[in-house]
Structure formats: structure tokens, C-alpha cells
Amino acid sequence: MDTINTSTVMNENRLAGILLIVGALITIVTILFEYKIGWIGVDRTRSETPQFLLENWNRMKFIWSWQTFGYFISTLAYFVFFKNSQGILSLFWSILILCECLKVVAMCLTLGSYQPALEVFSSNPEVFNTIGGGIRTLYATAQLGGLFLMVVFIIETFKKNGVVHKWMGITILAFVLIAIGIGVATTIPVKVTGTSSFLIPIVLGLGYLKNKN
């Protein structure tokens, strides 16, 4: 019975590893498209943002729809990992579920409310500003999940029989920190250099996918 349960957990974690990789890859692609159309990487005042969104709403809606789907896929992965985890990892996975759900909610609110608010912006800007402020706060809170995922990655790198090879984990962590540092120190948008942080869920997912313990 124990052997059957262990095999089931391994198979479920492998599936979750695949979901983690897919969710991260989808999100990376959407961020690159955000950069391509000028949503990120362009100096723009907050007062200019509504006009940009109104002019590019169809493309932004398409990109953000896929981004929402990527977050949803990641949420499913976190649920599986939570189900099969114990101790401190169980706590971290539960926090990650909450943060990722907040992202999904924030994106759904964006997709559902931005267009009508933008259409009346010229006559009633308070509607968009209020909605946008609430969504930004929600999304900023959800972004804390990245820190907890990094903690999980560190645990799986340094613990005995962790799913991430020690030197691979150290290399990835160093690369991510350097890339983010470059974004902070140069004119390259942090959101662009920050895409390097998606190596963490990708490598972690590969670790669970290949894990035989």
C-alpha cells in the first residue's frame, strides 16, 4: 500500500512539475509580448497609460488572457505540491496558492473592468483610477509569492535528497540575482531582466519531473 501511495505521489508531483514549467513558459512569452508592443520598457506617465491601453486594448486583452491562463496553470501545480507536501513546505505551498489565486483574480478583474472604464475615462476618470489602484494593490501583494517560491527552490537545492541539484540551484539563483541587479542598475526594465526569475519554477519543475526519490 505504501509503495502504491509513494508511486502515486511521485506521478502527481511529476505532473505538477510539468504544469509548473508550462505556466512559467506561458508567462514569459506574455511578458515578452508586453515588451514588444510597448506596455513595458517605455517611459510613460501614469496619465498617458489609459490612452495607451485604449488604443492597444485588443492586443493587451489577448496577452493578458494568456497570462491569466499561465497563472492558473501554476496554481494547479501548487495545489498538487501542497497536497503531497509536509511540514514547512506545506506552509509555503499554501502561501503560493493564495498568491497565485490573487494574481488570477487581479487579471480577471483587469480583463473584465478595464475596457468599460477606459471608454468613459475622458468624462469620468475616477472609475478607471479607482479600479486600477485596487488591481495594482492586489497584484503587488500577489507578487510576494515569488519570494516564497525562491525559498522552496532553496530548500529543494540544499536539503538532503532535494529535487534540484545543488550546483545547478546555486548557479540559477546567482544568475537570477545578477539579472535583476542589472535591471535595477541600468535602463533595462526590471520586468524584462526579471523574467530570469522564471528559471526558478522551470528548473524546480524539471527537478520534480526527474525526481525518483
Side-chain angles (χ1 to χ4, degrees):
M1 188 64 159
D2 290 341
T3 302
I4 294 175
N5 288 338
T6 300
S7 177
T8 300
V9 168
M10 288 176 61
N11 289 333
E12 288 180 351
N13 281 347
R14 286 170 182 162
L15 173 60
I18 294 173
L19 292 174
L20 200 59
I21 294 168
V22 172
L25 290 175
I26 290 174
T27 307
I28 289 173
V29 172
T30 61
I31 291 173
L32 293 177
F33 272 104
E34 285 180 335
Y35 181 74
K36 182 179 180 180
I37 70 171
W39 173 243
I40 57 177
V42 176
D43 289 331
R44 183 185 302 110
T45 64
R46 181 163 292 184
S47 62
E48 294 172 326
T49 297
Q51 185 61 34
F52 174 86
L53 286 173
L54 190 58
E55 293 174 355
N56 297 275
W57 178 248
N58 287 335
R59 289 188 292 176
M60 292 302 301
K61 183 177 181 180
F62 179 78
I63 293 169
W64 284 344
S65 294
W66 274 100
Q67 198 166 100
T68 304
F69 181 64
Y71 293 150
F72 175 72
I73 293 296
S74 297
T75 305
L76 294 180
Y78 295 153
F79 267 112
V80 176
F81 288 134
F82 171 74
K83 172 179 174 290
N84 295 328
S85 62
Q86 297 178 348
I88 192 68
L89 279 176
S90 180
L91 173 62
F92 289 141
W93 287 125
S94 66
I95 294 173
L96 281 163
I97 290 170
L98 175 60
C99 289
E100 210 68 10
C101 284
L102 288 178
K103 284 185 185 179
V104 173
V105 170
M107 295 304 295
C108 287
L109 288 173
T110 299
L111 292 169
S113 63
Y114 264 25
Q115 185 173 13
L118 287 167
E119 290 173 350
V120 299
F121 183 80
S122 59
S123 60
N124 194 2
E126 292 80 9
V127 174
F128 176 79
N129 292 334
T130 300
I131 293 173
I135 290 173
R136 283 192 297 271
T137 299
L138 194 63
Y139 192 81
T141 303
Q143 289 289 78
L144 293 174
L147 296 176
F148 289 97
L149 186 61
M150 185 175 289
V151 172
V152 172
F153 185 85
I154 291 171
I155 291 173
E156 290 291 3
T157 296
F158 290 100
K159 80 173 185 179
K160 184 179 180 181
N161 297 323
V163 301
V164 179
H165 187 277
K166 184 176 180 180
W167 291 111
M168 172 63 77
I170 292 172
T171 301
I172 294 299
L173 286 169
F175 178 78
V176 170
L177 292 174
I178 290 171
I180 293 175
I182 290 173
V184 172
T186 67
T187 57
I188 303 174
V190 174
K191 192 169 183 180
V192 174
T193 62
T195 56
S196 61
S197 64
F198 287 98
L199 286 172
I200 289 177
I202 290 172
V203 173
L204 189 60
L206 286 172
Y208 279 108
L209 183 60
K210 296 179 179 181
N211 183 44
K212 296 181 180 179
N213 295 321

